[in-house]
Amino acid sequence: MSEYMDFFARLGQETSERKREFLELGRIAGRFPAADTAHHGEISIWCSNDYLGMGQHPDVLAGMKRAVDECGAGSGGSRNIGGTNRYHVALEAELAALHGKEDAVLFNSGYSANEGALSVLAGRIDDCAVFSDQLNHASIIDGLRHSGAQKFIYRHNDCAHLEELLSGVDPQRPKIVVTESVHSMRGDIAPLAEIADIAKRYGAVTFLDEVHAVGMYGPEGAGIAAREGLAPAFTVVMGTLAKGFGMTGGYVAGPTVLMDAVRAFARSFIFTTALPPAVAAGALAAVRHLRGSQRERERLAGNAALMHGLLRDRGIPVLSDQTHIVSVLVGEDRLCKTMSALLLERHGVYVQAINAPSVPTGEEILRVAPSAVHEAADVRRFVEALDGIWTEFGASRG
């Protein structure tokens, strides 16, 4: 082992600067956002992506239990070798219908959906040029990197810069514009109408990541593009089952010819075991429920608006007030971690500090996610707790 010690030491030194600590949570069925912890007793979660509480919805649990009884635990193989189940097929059809697209492809995660789909769509067409928002998710970055396509990065939500870059490319060259609708760390919304218009004028295919919007926005929870009446303007929609729908998995939806290409060539789709039937069944139940229910979306919107208003009244800065993602700007690594720790220790409130590389150094945030299952009184208590700690440290107010 001695010959490897220098290697280990170098890696350990690098890791120590970015070491991440994980809070072990025991989510309590039927009582989310409550959770058990080993050292802090019962706490309240304020940073979960289960925005609508669908991870504990009775329809979802019943669907999963029924599928386990029918099909057993695992899928038994990859989708093309013995692993395709009727629940996979039904879920893909439901997701295509949700977005008004011809077809959809189910992946094991949102990350693998972006990585797999973009590596194919950008990589299988000769001389394709891709235009990607500066703050797009790591899964988009990796998918484009693996595609081998030439990338042009436009400034965040800057349509003038996007058009400038597009105008500099041969008009005959294949082009794809990629953006998130709700950006995951800032919580702001992309100017989708302008992006769609620019892409159309320059003959570009559009790829829209609606991960933090599906379930929460638009008719039937179809996302921001649907809310704005723009769904047909985006060629491919990518979404997740792990946030608004409370499960796990990801998907892309779009024209059949593109979805067939993804099935044929996406390595993250081909070379992995398919999702367990019970997971697909639970996701199917969640999608169907939210297509027919507005209640969860209304509660989420109400809690988010209340929190934004209370923080604004106290001068506690947030990066954007456009969505349910409440990114409280702390702006300093150690202070951000300290505030997170004190909220947990003193108030039984868990909100994760978000530091580099997830956000740029100097833009550290507490990424707060009020959910549909929090009560208004919970929101007020959270803000009071945060305000007290904010005052204690003399943090900047805007």
Side-chain angles (χ1 to χ4, degrees):
M1 291 288 287
S2 60
E3 64 270 29
Y4 302 119
M5 292 309 294
D6 184 58
F7 174 85
F8 293 162
R10 290 173 182 268
L11 184 59
Q13 182 177 2
E14 181 180 351
T15 301
S16 67
E17 299 172 0
R18 294 285 174 86
K19 184 177 180 180
R20 300 196 178 206
E21 297 180 0
F22 302 96
L23 180 64
E24 183 179 332
L25 299 171
R27 279 165 53 109
I28 305 171
R31 293 187 53 212
F32 178 74
D36 286 326
T37 64
H39 303 293
H40 303 282
E42 185 174 307
I43 65 165
S44 179
I45 304 174
W46 286 87
C47 53
S48 172
N49 286 334
D50 190 1
Y51 299 128
L52 301 176
M54 293 304 295
Q56 64 181 0
H57 194 280
D59 290 354
V60 174
L61 301 184
M64 295 187 74
K65 292 172 183 176
R66 184 167 55 250
V68 167
D69 289 340
E70 292 174 355
C71 307
S75 63
S78 63
R79 286 292 301 274
N80 62 322
I81 306 179
T84 294
N85 183 276
R86 66 183 180 88
Y87 287 111
H88 299 129
V89 176
L91 178 55
E92 287 174 333
E94 193 76 26
L95 292 166
L98 172 67
H99 293 291
K101 304 300 184 186
E102 290 181 341
D103 199 1
V105 180
L106 182 63
F107 285 79
N108 284 19
S109 71
Y111 181 96
S112 61
N114 263 337
E115 191 281 329
L118 285 168
S119 67
V120 171
L121 299 179
R124 303 294 300 191
I125 299 175
D126 290 341
D127 201 29
C128 185
V130 185
F131 302 81
S132 181
D133 187 284
Q134 179 184 12
L135 296 186
N136 276 342
H137 191 265
S139 58
I140 293 175
I141 295 169
D142 287 353
L144 296 180
R145 180 182 295 127
H146 295 158
S147 76
Q150 185 179 12
K151 300 188 297 291
F152 298 86
I153 307 302
Y154 64 92
R155 292 184 292 270
H156 179 54
N157 285 349
D158 188 335
C159 289
H161 191 214
L162 170 62
E163 184 161 17
E164 177 187 335
L165 293 174
L166 280 162
S167 68
V169 172
D170 184 342
Q172 302 304 313
R173 191 174 177 185
K175 296 174 283 292
I176 302 176
V177 175
V178 185
T179 187
E180 299 176 48
S181 58
V182 176
H183 285 272
S184 57
M185 287 299 146
R186 298 183 64 89
D188 55 345
I189 296 175
L192 296 187
E194 294 177 70
I195 290 172
D197 179 63
I198 292 168
K200 182 177 181 180
R201 283 193 275 116
Y202 287 89
V205 166
T206 45
F207 186 103
L208 180 62
D209 179 325
E210 292 259 36
V211 158
H212 291 276
V214 290
M216 282 83 71
Y217 299 95
E220 300 184 351
I224 298 292
R227 185 186 74 175
E228 304 300 322
L230 296 168
F234 289 88
T235 316
V236 176
V237 175
M238 176 269 169
T240 185
L241 304 167
K243 294 177 173 60
F245 297 124
M247 291 295 303
T248 191
Y251 64 90
V252 288
T256 297
V257 63
L258 298 186
M259 298 301 99
D260 281 346
V262 170
R263 289 189 183 94
F265 299 112
R267 295 169 69 87
S268 60
F269 175 81
I270 298 169
F271 298 107
T272 192
T273 300
L275 285 172
V279 172
L284 179 62
V287 175
R288 286 176 173 170
H289 174 82
L290 289 173
R291 292 189 72 184
S293 173
Q294 187 67 16
R295 178 177 178 272
E296 291 83 1
R297 285 186 283 277
E298 290 174 350
R299 284 184 58 87
L300 177 65
N303 283 339
L306 175 60
M307 179 171 283
H308 279 300
L310 293 172
L311 292 171
R312 185 169 52 248
D313 290 346
R314 289 159 175 77
I316 297 176
V318 298
L319 295 179
S320 172
D321 63 358
Q322 292 183 287
T323 67
H324 62 284
I325 297 173
V326 184
S327 297
V328 177
L329 179 60
V330 179
E332 198 278 312
D333 182 274
R334 188 177 300 276
L335 178 58
C336 198
K337 292 177 180 176
T338 299
M339 286 185 170
S340 173
L342 291 178
L343 284 168
L344 183 61
E345 292 167 8
R346 295 178 181 175
H347 303 281
V349 163
Y350 172 47
V351 56
Q352 184 64 43
I354 306 296
N355 307 86
S358 298
V359 294
T361 300
E363 296 183 17
E364 290 80 5
I365 60 174
L366 295 173
R367 186 183 180 278
V368 189
S371 75
V373 293
H374 285 100
E375 300 292 339
D378 299 328
V379 175
R380 293 188 179 92
R381 282 192 294 269
F382 175 90
V383 173
E384 288 295 333
L386 178 61
D387 186 52
I389 293 172
W390 207 266
T391 298
E392 179 179 342
F393 286 90
S396 176
R397 295 182 188 261

